[in-house]
Amino acid sequence: MKKLLIAAAFLYAGFGLIQAQTASPQDDKDQKTWYHKDYATTKVYGVNTQNAYKFLESKGLKPKTVVVGVLDSGVEVDHPGLIKNMWTNPNEIPNNGKDDDGNGYIDDVHGWNFLGGKNGDIDVDNMEVTRVVKKYQSVFEGPDSAKNKENQAKMPDDFAMYMKSKEIFNKKSQEAKQSVQMYTMINNSIPDMVKLLGDKTLTKENLATIKPSTQQEAMAMQVLSQVANDPQVAGKPASEVKTYMEAQMKEALDYFTPQAEKGYNLDFDPRKEIVGDNYDDYSEKSYGNNHYEGPDAKHGTHVAGIIAGLANGSEPQYGVASRVAKIMTVRAVPDGDERDKDVANAIRYAVDNGAKILNMSFGKPVSPGKNVVWDAFKYAESKGVLLVKAAGNENEDIAEHQYFPTNFKSTSDEKPFINNMIVVGSNTNDSNALKSSFSNYDEKMVDVFAPGSEIYSTVPEGKYEYLQGTSMASPVVAGSAAVLLAYMPNLKPEQIIESLVKTTNVSATNGFDKLSRSNGVIDVAKAAEYAYKNFYKAEAPSKSVKKPIKKKTHKAIDKSKL
């Protein structure tokens, strides 16, 4: 699910896991790669990528490739910055229309898409609260009040989820409609902004000399006064302000319009026609197609680049695990909320096909099929697979506002019910305002923070873009974990988590040390040293063992079997 960053400070910004930023105020190599920096020498809370490689190689360790599953919106598998680091199924013959490896999925060369079928691919889907309201409205608030009360008493957990979903649905559906109206008005006022600026540049001093003559111009001036605070367009001529505002409004309308028209629409359901499965039957696994990219792979492609992107031409961007990781793409996240059935199947698919780390940059406030997802978590745990999960972007304490899927069955539990998940909040490159303003937090339920603001990475059509969100922080951790596992293959998920948690660069500024279990931002070089010292075991050299020669015995030949 996406989140926007609109320049004007007073504008409403929606909730979700990703914020979009069309450009960086400092568009250079240093800005594009800031999340790799070493805090000790730069005082920027990067993750110290290069020193991690230097330490591990100084010990004579040789890396083994680690497959990282990206459970997301899809990935542009032929992006120039990703194509060499895409996982390829060694047991599948491409495009022959057969399930060569017998895993139930035909031509799954680079992964699988659980959001598609013979009739295409899902782009926009409902929010989960919409599905819950639609399913239970007649059960708990039907025309028969006596039956309603009976059902409420018989299904207290479902009723509680319904009431929570109804409250969120009513609030968010209204906000989405209001946002479409507001951004449409602002978009329509862009010509007035250009007219008012004329040949002046966008500065507060110049704006003070302009007097609007109509209500429409007054609104345009109000927007301009806010946009003037944005370093990306401050001091720019009207033509550049026009281009910037058009891009921002398009992003906003592209985000809120599908929500208003489809995400919070009780009558909208693309699942049956496109996928063709029974969503409520969680036992179904063999559905979908191999359309790895899907209709909108921006989010997943950006995530994949943070993990394993390779420097491409003049683009300096590279992923934390670019030297050691391969990306397996599993499409399970639409424009809307992911479905629990797809998440559970995506986890099992990735685990069964060799992924050792799964990145999960998604989430939602209710989860009807949480038990099925939790079973998949336990399955991943039994196979020694690390799960990396984004904390979410609501700027909330997730002990008070649950964010699914979660590794705590109850927020009152002292510990997670599994030992193979790490939950990640987002930090900035400003040590004085280290927590990203949008990031969720909790001293028990969030494990670490990692860079997630203004992260430059791959996007479709072979391009690159700055995005931000805990969606970006999570793959930084997934890539860091892949580095540790590549050089020390014996590491268990809980040991990787301990190594990352216990070696963070701690900050107490603005209470940052109270926002997660680790009190700080990961440092993969320090984590590598910790893991090497405490958990690494060199592989025993293989010895050739002479087998005793068995004497041949002669048996009668059964010619009927020849």
Short mmCIF file of all heavy atoms in Angstrom, two decimals, residues 82-136:
data_model
loop_
_atom_site.label_atom_id
_atom_site.label_comp_id
_atom_site.label_asym_id
_atom_site.label_seq_id
_atom_site.Cartn_x
_atom_site.Cartn_y
_atom_site.Cartn_z
N LEU A 82 18.65 -4.65 -12.04
CA LEU A 82 18.22 -5.84 -11.29
C LEU A 82 18.43 -7.15 -12.03
O LEU A 82 18.56 -8.21 -11.39
CB LEU A 82 16.73 -5.72 -10.94
CG LEU A 82 16.32 -4.67 -9.92
CD1 LEU A 82 14.79 -4.58 -9.84
CD2 LEU A 82 16.88 -5.01 -8.54
N ILE A 83 18.42 -7.10 -13.35
CA ILE A 83 18.33 -8.32 -14.15
C ILE A 83 19.41 -9.35 -13.80
O ILE A 83 19.15 -10.56 -13.78
CB ILE A 83 18.35 -7.99 -15.66
CG1 ILE A 83 18.02 -9.23 -16.49
CG2 ILE A 83 19.67 -7.35 -16.08
CD1 ILE A 83 17.75 -8.93 -17.96
N LYS A 84 20.61 -8.90 -13.47
CA LYS A 84 21.69 -9.84 -13.16
C LYS A 84 21.56 -10.44 -11.76
O LYS A 84 22.25 -11.42 -11.44
CB LYS A 84 23.05 -9.15 -13.30
CG LYS A 84 23.40 -8.78 -14.73
CD LYS A 84 24.77 -8.12 -14.82
CE LYS A 84 25.11 -7.74 -16.25
NZ LYS A 84 26.43 -7.05 -16.34
N ASN A 85 20.70 -9.85 -10.95
CA ASN A 85 20.52 -10.37 -9.59
C ASN A 85 19.11 -10.91 -9.35
O ASN A 85 18.66 -10.99 -8.22
CB ASN A 85 20.83 -9.29 -8.54
CG ASN A 85 22.30 -9.27 -8.16
OD1 ASN A 85 23.05 -10.17 -8.50
ND2 ASN A 85 22.71 -8.24 -7.45
N MET A 86 18.46 -11.32 -10.43
CA MET A 86 17.16 -11.98 -10.29
C MET A 86 17.35 -13.48 -10.14
O MET A 86 18.16 -14.08 -10.84
CB MET A 86 16.25 -11.69 -11.49
CG MET A 86 15.77 -10.26 -11.61
SD MET A 86 14.87 -9.61 -10.17
CE MET A 86 13.53 -10.79 -10.02
N TRP A 87 16.60 -14.06 -9.23
CA TRP A 87 16.62 -15.52 -9.05
C TRP A 87 15.99 -16.19 -10.26
O TRP A 87 14.98 -15.71 -10.80
CB TRP A 87 15.83 -15.89 -7.80
CG TRP A 87 15.57 -17.37 -7.63
CD1 TRP A 87 16.45 -18.31 -7.20
CD2 TRP A 87 14.34 -18.06 -7.89
NE1 TRP A 87 15.84 -19.55 -7.16
CE2 TRP A 87 14.54 -19.42 -7.58
CE3 TRP A 87 13.08 -17.67 -8.34
CZ2 TRP A 87 13.54 -20.39 -7.70
CZ3 TRP A 87 12.07 -18.62 -8.48
CH2 TRP A 87 12.31 -19.96 -8.16
N THR A 88 16.58 -17.27 -10.70
CA THR A 88 16.02 -18.07 -11.79
C THR A 88 15.82 -19.49 -11.29
O THR A 88 16.75 -20.11 -10.75
CB THR A 88 16.95 -18.08 -13.02
OG1 THR A 88 17.12 -16.73 -13.48
CG2 THR A 88 16.37 -18.92 -14.13
N ASN A 89 14.62 -19.99 -11.44
CA ASN A 89 14.29 -21.35 -11.01
C ASN A 89 15.09 -22.34 -11.85
O ASN A 89 14.86 -22.46 -13.06
CB ASN A 89 12.79 -21.58 -11.20
CG ASN A 89 12.33 -22.90 -10.61
OD1 ASN A 89 13.11 -23.81 -10.38
ND2 ASN A 89 11.02 -23.00 -10.39
N PRO A 90 16.01 -23.08 -11.23
CA PRO A 90 16.88 -23.96 -12.01
C PRO A 90 16.17 -25.18 -12.57
O PRO A 90 16.69 -25.85 -13.47
CB PRO A 90 17.95 -24.38 -10.99
CG PRO A 90 17.26 -24.29 -9.66
CD PRO A 90 16.32 -23.12 -9.79
N ASN A 91 14.98 -25.47 -12.05
CA ASN A 91 14.28 -26.68 -12.46
C ASN A 91 13.07 -26.41 -13.35
O ASN A 91 12.23 -27.28 -13.56
CB ASN A 91 13.82 -27.45 -11.21
CG ASN A 91 14.98 -27.84 -10.32
OD1 ASN A 91 15.98 -28.36 -10.79
ND2 ASN A 91 14.86 -27.57 -9.03
N GLU A 92 12.99 -25.19 -13.87
CA GLU A 92 11.87 -24.82 -14.72
C GLU A 92 12.37 -24.40 -16.10
O GLU A 92 13.29 -23.60 -16.20
CB GLU A 92 11.08 -23.68 -14.09
CG GLU A 92 9.70 -23.46 -14.67
CD GLU A 92 8.70 -24.53 -14.27
OE1 GLU A 92 8.91 -25.22 -13.25
OE2 GLU A 92 7.68 -24.67 -14.98
N ILE A 93 11.77 -24.95 -17.13
CA ILE A 93 12.11 -24.58 -18.50
C ILE A 93 11.19 -23.42 -18.90
O ILE A 93 9.96 -23.56 -18.87
CB ILE A 93 11.91 -25.76 -19.47
CG1 ILE A 93 12.83 -26.92 -19.07
CG2 ILE A 93 12.19 -25.32 -20.91
CD1 ILE A 93 12.55 -28.20 -19.84
N PRO A 94 11.76 -22.26 -19.24
CA PRO A 94 10.94 -21.07 -19.50
C PRO A 94 9.95 -21.26 -20.65
O PRO A 94 10.28 -21.84 -21.69
CB PRO A 94 11.97 -20.00 -19.84
CG PRO A 94 13.25 -20.48 -19.25
CD PRO A 94 13.20 -21.97 -19.34
N ASN A 95 8.73 -20.79 -20.41
CA ASN A 95 7.72 -20.61 -21.46
C ASN A 95 7.37 -21.88 -22.25
O ASN A 95 7.04 -21.80 -23.44
CB ASN A 95 8.18 -19.52 -22.44
CG ASN A 95 8.49 -18.22 -21.73
OD1 ASN A 95 7.76 -17.79 -20.84
ND2 ASN A 95 9.60 -17.58 -22.11
N ASN A 96 7.43 -23.03 -21.59
CA ASN A 96 7.00 -24.24 -22.29
C ASN A 96 5.60 -24.68 -21.88
O ASN A 96 5.11 -25.72 -22.32
CB ASN A 96 8.01 -25.38 -22.09
CG ASN A 96 8.04 -25.91 -20.66
OD1 ASN A 96 7.44 -25.31 -19.76
ND2 ASN A 96 8.73 -27.01 -20.45
N GLY A 97 4.97 -23.88 -20.99
CA GLY A 97 3.61 -24.19 -20.58
C GLY A 97 3.48 -25.41 -19.70
O GLY A 97 2.39 -25.96 -19.55
N LYS A 98 4.60 -25.82 -19.08
CA LYS A 98 4.57 -27.01 -18.23
C LYS A 98 5.11 -26.70 -16.84
O LYS A 98 5.91 -25.79 -16.66
CB LYS A 98 5.43 -28.12 -18.85
CG LYS A 98 4.94 -28.61 -20.21
CD LYS A 98 5.86 -29.69 -20.75
CE LYS A 98 5.40 -30.18 -22.12
NZ LYS A 98 6.33 -31.21 -22.68
N ASP A 99 4.66 -27.48 -15.89
CA ASP A 99 5.17 -27.38 -14.52
C ASP A 99 6.33 -28.36 -14.39
O ASP A 99 6.19 -29.46 -13.85
CB ASP A 99 4.05 -27.71 -13.52
CG ASP A 99 4.51 -27.64 -12.07
OD1 ASP A 99 5.58 -27.05 -11.82
OD2 ASP A 99 3.82 -28.19 -11.20
N ASP A 100 7.49 -27.95 -14.89
CA ASP A 100 8.62 -28.86 -15.01
C ASP A 100 9.11 -29.39 -13.66
O ASP A 100 9.53 -30.54 -13.55
CB ASP A 100 9.79 -28.17 -15.72
CG ASP A 100 9.41 -27.73 -17.12
OD1 ASP A 100 9.17 -28.60 -17.96
OD2 ASP A 100 9.35 -26.52 -17.35
N ASP A 101 9.08 -28.55 -12.63
CA ASP A 101 9.60 -28.98 -11.34
C ASP A 101 8.52 -29.57 -10.42
O ASP A 101 8.80 -29.98 -9.29
CB ASP A 101 10.31 -27.83 -10.62
CG ASP A 101 9.42 -26.62 -10.40
OD1 ASP A 101 8.23 -26.69 -10.77
OD2 ASP A 101 9.91 -25.60 -9.88
N GLY A 102 7.28 -29.62 -10.91
CA GLY A 102 6.21 -30.25 -10.15
C GLY A 102 5.83 -29.55 -8.87
O GLY A 102 5.30 -30.17 -7.94
N ASN A 103 6.05 -28.23 -8.80
CA ASN A 103 5.71 -27.51 -7.57
C ASN A 103 4.31 -26.90 -7.60
O ASN A 103 3.90 -26.21 -6.67
CB ASN A 103 6.74 -26.42 -7.28
CG ASN A 103 6.71 -25.26 -8.29
OD1 ASN A 103 6.00 -25.32 -9.29
ND2 ASN A 103 7.49 -24.23 -8.02
N GLY A 104 3.57 -27.16 -8.69
CA GLY A 104 2.20 -26.66 -8.78
C GLY A 104 2.07 -25.35 -9.52
O GLY A 104 0.95 -24.83 -9.64
N TYR A 105 3.20 -24.81 -10.03
CA TYR A 105 3.17 -23.50 -10.67
C TYR A 105 3.89 -23.58 -12.02
O TYR A 105 5.07 -23.92 -12.09
CB TYR A 105 3.82 -22.46 -9.77
CG TYR A 105 3.16 -22.41 -8.41
CD1 TYR A 105 3.71 -23.08 -7.31
CD2 TYR A 105 1.96 -21.73 -8.22
CE1 TYR A 105 3.09 -23.07 -6.07
CE2 TYR A 105 1.33 -21.71 -6.98
CZ TYR A 105 1.90 -22.39 -5.91
OH TYR A 105 1.28 -22.38 -4.69
N ILE A 106 3.17 -23.25 -13.08
CA ILE A 106 3.67 -23.41 -14.45
C ILE A 106 4.55 -22.22 -14.85
O ILE A 106 4.16 -21.06 -14.72
CB ILE A 106 2.50 -23.56 -15.44
CG1 ILE A 106 1.73 -24.85 -15.15
CG2 ILE A 106 3.00 -23.55 -16.89
CD1 ILE A 106 0.43 -24.98 -15.93
N ASP A 107 5.75 -22.53 -15.35
CA ASP A 107 6.69 -21.51 -15.85
C ASP A 107 7.03 -20.45 -14.81
O ASP A 107 7.15 -19.25 -15.12
CB ASP A 107 6.14 -20.83 -17.11
CG ASP A 107 6.18 -21.74 -18.33
OD1 ASP A 107 7.01 -22.67 -18.33
OD2 ASP A 107 5.37 -21.55 -19.25
N ASP A 108 7.19 -20.86 -13.57
CA ASP A 108 7.58 -19.91 -12.50
C ASP A 108 9.09 -19.76 -12.50
O ASP A 108 9.79 -20.22 -11.62
CB ASP A 108 7.06 -20.37 -11.14
CG ASP A 108 7.53 -21.76 -10.75
OD1 ASP A 108 7.63 -22.64 -11.63
OD2 ASP A 108 7.81 -21.98 -9.55
N VAL A 109 9.58 -19.05 -13.50
CA VAL A 109 11.02 -18.92 -13.72
C VAL A 109 11.66 -17.96 -12.71
O VAL A 109 12.74 -18.22 -12.19
CB VAL A 109 11.31 -18.46 -15.16
CG1 VAL A 109 12.81 -18.24 -15.37
CG2 VAL A 109 10.78 -19.48 -16.15
N HIS A 110 11.01 -16.83 -12.42
CA HIS A 110 11.57 -15.85 -11.49
C HIS A 110 10.72 -15.69 -10.22
O HIS A 110 11.05 -14.88 -9.36
CB HIS A 110 11.71 -14.49 -12.16
CG HIS A 110 12.65 -14.49 -13.33
ND1 HIS A 110 13.99 -14.77 -13.23
CD2 HIS A 110 12.42 -14.25 -14.65
CE1 HIS A 110 14.56 -14.70 -14.42
NE2 HIS A 110 13.63 -14.40 -15.30
N GLY A 111 9.64 -16.45 -10.13
CA GLY A 111 8.77 -16.35 -8.97
C GLY A 111 7.34 -16.63 -9.38
O GLY A 111 7.08 -17.39 -10.32
N TRP A 112 6.37 -16.01 -8.69
CA TRP A 112 4.96 -16.28 -8.98
C TRP A 112 4.11 -15.07 -8.65
O TRP A 112 4.51 -14.20 -7.86
CB TRP A 112 4.48 -17.49 -8.19
CG TRP A 112 3.17 -18.03 -8.68
CD1 TRP A 112 1.97 -18.01 -8.02
CD2 TRP A 112 2.91 -18.67 -9.94
NE1 TRP A 112 0.98 -18.59 -8.79
CE2 TRP A 112 1.53 -19.01 -9.98
CE3 TRP A 112 3.70 -18.96 -11.05
CZ2 TRP A 112 0.95 -19.62 -11.08
CZ3 TRP A 112 3.12 -19.58 -12.15
CH2 TRP A 112 1.75 -19.91 -12.16
N ASN A 113 2.91 -15.04 -9.25
CA ASN A 113 1.95 -13.96 -9.05
C ASN A 113 0.64 -14.55 -8.54
O ASN A 113 -0.07 -15.22 -9.29
CB ASN A 113 1.73 -13.21 -10.37
CG ASN A 113 0.56 -12.25 -10.31
OD1 ASN A 113 0.24 -11.73 -9.24
ND2 ASN A 113 -0.07 -12.00 -11.45
N PHE A 114 0.33 -14.32 -7.26
CA PHE A 114 -0.92 -14.82 -6.69
C PHE A 114 -2.08 -13.85 -6.89
O PHE A 114 -3.16 -14.06 -6.34
CB PHE A 114 -0.72 -15.10 -5.19
CG PHE A 114 0.07 -16.35 -4.92
CD1 PHE A 114 1.42 -16.27 -4.58
CD2 PHE A 114 -0.51 -17.60 -5.02
CE1 PHE A 114 2.16 -17.42 -4.35
CE2 PHE A 114 0.22 -18.76 -4.80
CZ PHE A 114 1.57 -18.68 -4.46
N LEU A 115 -1.87 -12.81 -7.68
CA LEU A 115 -2.92 -11.82 -7.94
C LEU A 115 -3.37 -11.85 -9.38
O LEU A 115 -3.85 -10.85 -9.92
CB LEU A 115 -2.40 -10.40 -7.59
CG LEU A 115 -2.00 -10.16 -6.14
CD1 LEU A 115 -1.47 -8.74 -5.97
CD2 LEU A 115 -3.16 -10.40 -5.20
N GLY A 116 -3.23 -12.98 -10.02
CA GLY A 116 -3.62 -13.08 -11.41
C GLY A 116 -4.28 -14.39 -11.75
O GLY A 116 -4.43 -15.28 -10.91
N GLY A 117 -4.68 -14.51 -12.99
CA GLY A 117 -5.29 -15.73 -13.49
C GLY A 117 -5.33 -15.70 -15.00
O GLY A 117 -4.64 -14.90 -15.64
N LYS A 118 -6.15 -16.54 -15.58
CA LYS A 118 -6.23 -16.60 -17.04
C LYS A 118 -6.80 -15.31 -17.63
O LYS A 118 -6.55 -14.99 -18.79
CB LYS A 118 -7.12 -17.79 -17.46
CG LYS A 118 -6.50 -19.15 -17.19
CD LYS A 118 -7.36 -20.28 -17.69
CE LYS A 118 -8.64 -20.41 -16.87
NZ LYS A 118 -9.44 -21.60 -17.30
N ASN A 119 -7.55 -14.57 -16.82
CA ASN A 119 -8.19 -13.35 -17.32
C ASN A 119 -7.44 -12.08 -16.99
O ASN A 119 -8.00 -10.98 -17.08
CB ASN A 119 -9.62 -13.27 -16.75
CG ASN A 119 -10.48 -14.43 -17.21
OD1 ASN A 119 -10.40 -14.85 -18.35
ND2 ASN A 119 -11.30 -14.95 -16.31
N GLY A 120 -6.17 -12.19 -16.60
CA GLY A 120 -5.38 -10.99 -16.35
C GLY A 120 -4.86 -10.90 -14.94
O GLY A 120 -4.63 -11.92 -14.28
N ASP A 121 -4.67 -9.67 -14.46
CA ASP A 121 -4.06 -9.44 -13.16
C ASP A 121 -4.80 -8.36 -12.40
O ASP A 121 -5.25 -7.37 -12.98
CB ASP A 121 -2.60 -9.00 -13.35
CG ASP A 121 -1.80 -10.00 -14.16
OD1 ASP A 121 -1.58 -11.11 -13.66
OD2 ASP A 121 -1.42 -9.67 -15.29
N ILE A 122 -4.89 -8.54 -11.10
CA ILE A 122 -5.52 -7.54 -10.24
C ILE A 122 -4.58 -6.35 -10.09
O ILE A 122 -3.40 -6.51 -9.80
CB ILE A 122 -5.86 -8.12 -8.86
CG1 ILE A 122 -7.03 -9.11 -8.98
CG2 ILE A 122 -6.21 -7.02 -7.86
CD1 ILE A 122 -7.38 -9.79 -7.69
N ASP A 123 -5.12 -5.16 -10.26
CA ASP A 123 -4.40 -3.93 -10.00
C ASP A 123 -4.91 -3.34 -8.69
O ASP A 123 -4.26 -3.44 -7.66
CB ASP A 123 -4.59 -2.95 -11.16
CG ASP A 123 -3.80 -1.66 -10.99
OD1 ASP A 123 -3.02 -1.56 -10.02
OD2 ASP A 123 -3.96 -0.75 -11.82
N VAL A 124 -6.10 -2.76 -8.71
CA VAL A 124 -6.71 -2.20 -7.50
C VAL A 124 -7.60 -3.24 -6.84
O VAL A 124 -8.36 -3.94 -7.52
CB VAL A 124 -7.53 -0.94 -7.83
CG1 VAL A 124 -8.12 -0.34 -6.56
CG2 VAL A 124 -6.68 0.08 -8.57
N ASP A 125 -7.52 -3.35 -5.53
CA ASP A 125 -8.39 -4.24 -4.77
C ASP A 125 -8.92 -3.47 -3.57
O ASP A 125 -8.50 -2.35 -3.29
CB ASP A 125 -7.62 -5.49 -4.32
CG ASP A 125 -8.54 -6.67 -4.01
OD1 ASP A 125 -9.77 -6.46 -3.89
OD2 ASP A 125 -8.03 -7.81 -3.89
N ASN A 126 -9.85 -4.10 -2.85
CA ASN A 126 -10.43 -3.47 -1.67
C ASN A 126 -9.42 -3.29 -0.56
O ASN A 126 -8.39 -3.96 -0.51
CB ASN A 126 -11.56 -4.35 -1.08
CG ASN A 126 -12.70 -4.56 -2.04
OD1 ASN A 126 -13.08 -5.69 -2.31
ND2 ASN A 126 -13.28 -3.49 -2.55
N MET A 127 -9.75 -2.40 0.36
CA MET A 127 -9.08 -2.37 1.64
C MET A 127 -9.68 -3.52 2.47
O MET A 127 -10.84 -3.90 2.28
CB MET A 127 -9.29 -1.03 2.34
CG MET A 127 -9.05 0.17 1.46
SD MET A 127 -7.45 0.19 0.63
CE MET A 127 -6.37 0.50 2.02
N GLU A 128 -8.91 -4.06 3.40
CA GLU A 128 -9.42 -5.20 4.17
C GLU A 128 -10.65 -4.84 4.99
O GLU A 128 -11.57 -5.65 5.15
CB GLU A 128 -8.33 -5.75 5.09
CG GLU A 128 -8.67 -7.10 5.72
CD GLU A 128 -8.80 -8.22 4.69
OE1 GLU A 128 -7.78 -8.64 4.14
OE2 GLU A 128 -9.96 -8.65 4.46
N VAL A 129 -10.70 -3.62 5.51
CA VAL A 129 -11.86 -3.23 6.31
C VAL A 129 -13.12 -3.25 5.45
O VAL A 129 -14.23 -3.54 5.94
CB VAL A 129 -11.67 -1.84 6.96
CG1 VAL A 129 -10.57 -1.89 8.01
CG2 VAL A 129 -11.40 -0.75 5.93
N THR A 130 -13.01 -2.95 4.15
CA THR A 130 -14.15 -2.99 3.25
C THR A 130 -14.67 -4.41 3.13
O THR A 130 -15.89 -4.66 3.17
CB THR A 130 -13.75 -2.45 1.86
OG1 THR A 130 -13.17 -1.16 2.00
CG2 THR A 130 -14.95 -2.38 0.93
N ARG A 131 -13.76 -5.36 2.98
CA ARG A 131 -14.16 -6.76 2.87
C ARG A 131 -14.85 -7.25 4.13
O ARG A 131 -15.84 -7.99 4.07
CB ARG A 131 -12.93 -7.63 2.58
CG ARG A 131 -12.20 -7.29 1.30
CD ARG A 131 -10.89 -8.06 1.20
NE ARG A 131 -10.00 -7.43 0.24
CZ ARG A 131 -8.69 -7.31 0.38
NH1 ARG A 131 -8.10 -7.76 1.47
NH2 ARG A 131 -7.97 -6.72 -0.55
N VAL A 132 -14.33 -6.84 5.27
CA VAL A 132 -14.91 -7.27 6.54
C VAL A 132 -16.31 -6.69 6.73
O VAL A 132 -17.25 -7.39 7.12
CB VAL A 132 -14.00 -6.87 7.72
CG1 VAL A 132 -14.70 -7.13 9.06
CG2 VAL A 132 -12.68 -7.63 7.66
N VAL A 133 -16.46 -5.40 6.43
CA VAL A 133 -17.79 -4.77 6.55
C VAL A 133 -18.78 -5.45 5.62
O VAL A 133 -19.92 -5.77 6.01
CB VAL A 133 -17.70 -3.26 6.24
CG1 VAL A 133 -19.10 -2.66 6.13
CG2 VAL A 133 -16.91 -2.54 7.33
N LYS A 134 -18.38 -5.70 4.39
CA LYS A 134 -19.27 -6.33 3.42
C LYS A 134 -19.68 -7.73 3.87
O LYS A 134 -20.86 -8.11 3.75
CB LYS A 134 -18.57 -6.41 2.05
CG LYS A 134 -19.43 -7.03 0.96
CD LYS A 134 -18.70 -7.02 -0.38
CE LYS A 134 -19.57 -7.61 -1.48
NZ LYS A 134 -18.90 -7.57 -2.81
N LYS A 135 -18.73 -8.49 4.41
CA LYS A 135 -19.01 -9.88 4.80
C LYS A 135 -19.92 -9.97 6.02
O LYS A 135 -20.81 -10.84 6.09
CB LYS A 135 -17.69 -10.59 5.09
CG LYS A 135 -17.85 -12.05 5.49
CD LYS A 135 -16.50 -12.73 5.67
CE LYS A 135 -16.68 -14.20 6.05
NZ LYS A 135 -15.37 -14.88 6.19
N TYR A 136 -19.74 -9.09 7.00
CA TYR A 136 -20.43 -9.24 8.28
C TYR A 136 -21.56 -8.24 8.53
O TYR A 136 -22.26 -8.34 9.54
CB TYR A 136 -19.42 -9.14 9.42
CG TYR A 136 -18.49 -10.32 9.51
CD1 TYR A 136 -17.14 -10.19 9.15
CD2 TYR A 136 -18.93 -11.55 9.96
CE1 TYR A 136 -16.28 -11.27 9.23
CE2 TYR A 136 -18.07 -12.65 10.04
CZ TYR A 136 -16.75 -12.50 9.67
OH TYR A 136 -15.89 -13.58 9.75
#
